[in-house]
Each structure stands twice: as C-alpha cells, then as structure tokens.
Amino acid sequence: MKGFIFDLDGTIYLGERAIPGAAEAVNTLLRRGDRVVFLSNKPIATRRSYVQKLNQLGIPAEESNVIHASMVTARLLKERLKPHEQVLVIGERPIREELREHGVKLTYWPDQARYVLLSWDRDLTYEKLNRAYQAWRHGAELIASNPDRTCPVEGGELPDTAALIGAMEALTGERIRLVAGKPSLFMAQAALEVLKLSAADCWMVGDRLETDIRMAVEAGMRAALVLTGVSTRSMVEGCSHPPDRILDSVAQVVEL
C-alpha cells in the first residue's frame, strides 16, 4: 500500500478544468488499494468547496482527506494562543471562517493582536497593510498561511500570499519565519496523520519545487514533480531538493 499526497492547483486542475487523465489516475490508485490525500496551500477556498469541485471533476474526495493551509494555520494558532489572545487577519473570508471554527479569536484592532496572520487577499489595501504593520509595532508576531509567490490558473498565474509577505518583510526588516503551509512540516504531518502511513511509504505529487517537492524531501517522502503548473524541467537542475521523478502530468502517477 502506498500513500499519495496530491497538490491541487497546477497538479489536479487548472482553474475549473481538470488536468487530462487526473480523474482516471486517482481512481486507479484508489481501486488498487492506495490511500489518497489532497493538500493545498490555497487559503481563499473552503475544504467543502474543494470536495465539491473534486467530485464534480470525477475525483472522489471527502473533507476528511482534504487538507489546506487554512486548516493547518488554524490548528497551529489554536495551539499557541492563550485563551485571551487574538489574531489580526489580512486574508479572505474562508480562512477567517476556518479560524473561528477552531475557536481562534479575531480582532480588527492592531493593539489587541498577539499574532498578525498574512494570507492571500485579493482586496488588499494600504489600510490593511498599515493595520498589520501597526500591530507588529505593538509587539504582534507575524505568521503566514502559505509562502506561494503565485497561484497557477488557466492562461498564467496570479499573485499569492508571498506578495504580502514581501511587503511586510520590507516594512519590518524582519523575515517571517512561521509559515503554516507547504513546505512546512506542519502540512506534512497533517497529511501523514490522515494517511496513517510512514513518510517513506508516501509520494508527494505537485507542481512546485519550492513548496511541494521541498516539503516531501524534508519530510522523508518520495517526490514527483508534474510539469503542468509552475516549475519546469530546467528548474530542477541545481535544485537543492530535487524530485525523485519528473512526470509530464498527474496522469502518469499510476506508474510510480
């Protein structure tokens, strides 16, 4: 039995379109008895919406085997926060809802924040950036949901959370060291808990060297890079954490 951890954007689908052969490959793995988990850094959607989308694309999924950065971020903050402490969030509704579901208290006011959570926000404004900065000046610690520079979509890529991380690091002169999403081991551990397998028995299948593949290598998993998203074959040369395999697409995952 093997475990397969699939990234979503750029690996299973692009926008609303499934990568050709993705549904057939995942269903083949399940029929032969392998275990599957879907792992996404994208914090602007709920796990429920991921399940619905995957099912519509012909890929069996339940909330129990869909893990995203918002959930792992919420768990991490819940563990670290004291009962009276609050979080100022720069991000969209889905990650706020996930935090509330985990009992994390949110605040609008910079002087009340123990942490500032930086996440993908397509309505980012100067006012939001300033509130995050003022909270840091009042002693709040900075944390990010995910480090992705871009999100792959049909026809190109969109700016992701790294745009906000870069802005805050430039403002504060400090590196943001606490990141919940891939390549962090927080995400790897969450996936392994669901699969109930050792890292050595699992393949991470993703399109990004700096997140998907790096996480797999550092967690002791095997790694397969697909060429349907962000990273290219030429980028692997000289990479400090190269994949075990390079696949044209997820359709070839049945060969692993």
Side-chain angles (χ1 to χ4, degrees):
M1 181 185 295
K2 298 177 184 176
F4 287 87
I5 305 168
F6 290 101
D7 172 56
L8 291 176
D9 291 278
T11 300
I12 295 293
Y13 51 68
L14 280 170
E16 300 304 313
R17 179 180 61 85
I19 300 296
E24 293 84 354
V26 173
N27 278 286
T28 296
L29 297 179
L30 292 172
R31 282 196 300 270
R32 75 187 194 189
D34 292 323
R35 296 177 183 175
V36 170
V37 162
F38 302 98
L39 195 68
S40 177
N41 265 2
K42 193 174 181 180
I44 60 172
T46 63
R47 280 184 294 154
R48 191 177 305 109
S49 68
Y50 282 130
V51 170
Q52 182 178 21
K53 183 173 183 176
L54 288 166
N55 289 339
Q56 288 174 344
L57 295 175
I59 299 172
E62 301 176 353
E63 284 194 43
S64 60
N65 71 332
V66 173
I67 300 167
H68 64 357
S70 299
M71 183 183 77
V72 175
T73 302
R75 289 180 177 179
L76 183 61
L77 284 169
K78 184 178 181 180
E79 290 175 359
R80 293 178 175 237
L81 287 166
K82 296 178 181 178
H84 65 283
E85 293 179 330
Q86 302 176 84
V87 179
L88 189 153
V89 180
I90 308 300
E92 298 188 15
R93 178 182 295 179
I95 195 166
R96 293 174 182 273
E97 291 178 350
E98 190 75 35
L99 291 166
R100 291 191 182 100
E101 288 175 8
H102 281 77
V104 175
K105 297 177 182 178
L106 309 184
T107 183
Y108 176 88
W109 306 106
D111 60 348
Q112 296 179 2
R114 171 65 182 85
Y115 285 93
V116 174
L117 171 58
L118 307 177
S119 191
W120 189 358
D121 191 338
R122 290 168 293 182
D123 293 315
L124 181 64
T125 63
Y126 181 85
E127 186 270 337
K128 291 180 179 180
L129 186 64
N130 181 50
R131 280 196 291 115
Y133 176 62
Q134 298 305 327
W136 173 81
R137 291 192 64 207
H138 279 90
E141 185 175 347
L142 301 177
I143 179 175
S145 61
N146 60 298
D148 302 66
R149 294 191 300 273
T150 62
C151 177
V153 296
E154 286 189 88
E157 302 172 52
L158 297 175
D160 205 320
T161 304
L164 182 52
I165 293 174
M168 287 303 298
E169 288 184 338
L171 275 171
T172 64
E174 295 182 1
R175 182 182 176 188
I176 297 172
R177 301 184 182 279
L178 188 56
V179 180
K182 296 175 290 184
S184 81
L185 295 182
F186 301 118
M187 288 286 274
Q189 186 58 41
L192 293 174
E193 286 175 4
V194 173
L195 291 170
K196 294 181 172 59
L197 293 169
S198 67
D201 291 326
C202 296
W203 280 91
M204 175 70 218
V205 183
D207 70 303
R208 304 186 81 114
L209 288 166
E210 70 271 24
T211 54
D212 303 315
I213 306 307
R214 178 181 170 184
M215 184 197 77
V217 172
E218 293 182 350
M221 303 172 184
R222 287 175 285 181
L225 176 71
V226 295
L227 302 177
T228 50
V230 174
S231 296
T232 64
R233 191 181 297 272
S234 63
M235 291 179 181
V236 176
E237 297 179 15
C239 177
S240 61
H241 38 269
D244 297 283
R245 292 282 300 274
I246 301 176
L247 309 177
D248 290 330
S249 81
V250 70
Q252 296 175 309
V253 75
V254 295
E255 302 170 8
L256 298 177

